[in-house]
């Protein structure tokens, strides 16, 4: 639970929760700010390999697949999957914290809500 994404003003911020909050602002320094998030994982084991900005993760996955295929590990190269887009923050954080959770999220990807739509804690009440 050291790394955690938070959605602020339509952007994903990645924080290392081991860092101490600033004495002045009370906020931690973010490690990454991006509009959409990508996760590269192993489809067979569900292990998360990389996460972050989609451009960097796609580049990492393509280079890793190329190196694995050159080494004769075709099956391992084919098991690398990249999921990107506006993912729900709670699902994204579960992928980082729970081993193998990303495979379950991947199977439900089509039914997940848009990640940047904030859920309200209370339903809206109509005025009387």
């Amino acid at each position: 639970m050291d790394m955690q994404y938070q959605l602020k003003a339509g952007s994903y911020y990645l924080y290392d929760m081991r860092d101490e909050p600033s004495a002045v602002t009370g906020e931690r320094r973010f490690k990454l700010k991006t509009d959409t998030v990508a996760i590269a994982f192993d489809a067979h084991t569900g292990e998360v390999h990389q996460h972050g900005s989609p451009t960097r993760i796609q580049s990492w996955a393509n280079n890793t697949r190329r190196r694995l295929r050159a080494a004769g590990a075709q099956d391992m190269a084919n098991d690398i999957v990249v999921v990107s887009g506006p993912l729900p923050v709670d699902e994204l954080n579960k992928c980082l914290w729970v081993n193998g959770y990303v495979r379950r999220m991947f199977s439900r990807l089509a039914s997940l809500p848009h990640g940047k739509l904030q859920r309200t804690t209370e339903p809206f009440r109509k005025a009387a």
Side-chain angles (χ1 to χ4, degrees), residues 40 69 74-75 82:
R69 287 184 179 119
Q74 185 74 25
D75 291 339
V82 177

Side-chain angles (χ1 to χ4, degrees), residues 104-118:
R104 285 182 267 163
M105 184 196 74
F106 183 63
S107 67
R108 299 180 296 112
L109 196 59
S111 64
L112 289 177
H114 189 284
K116 292 190 179 182
L117 296 178
Q118 297 272 340

Side-chain angles (χ1 to χ4, degrees), residues 16 58 67 75 83-84 98 109-110 113 122:
D16 187 344
Q58 284 289 357
R67 281 186 270 132
D75 291 339
V83 175
S84 64
V98 179
L109 196 59
E122 280 185 36

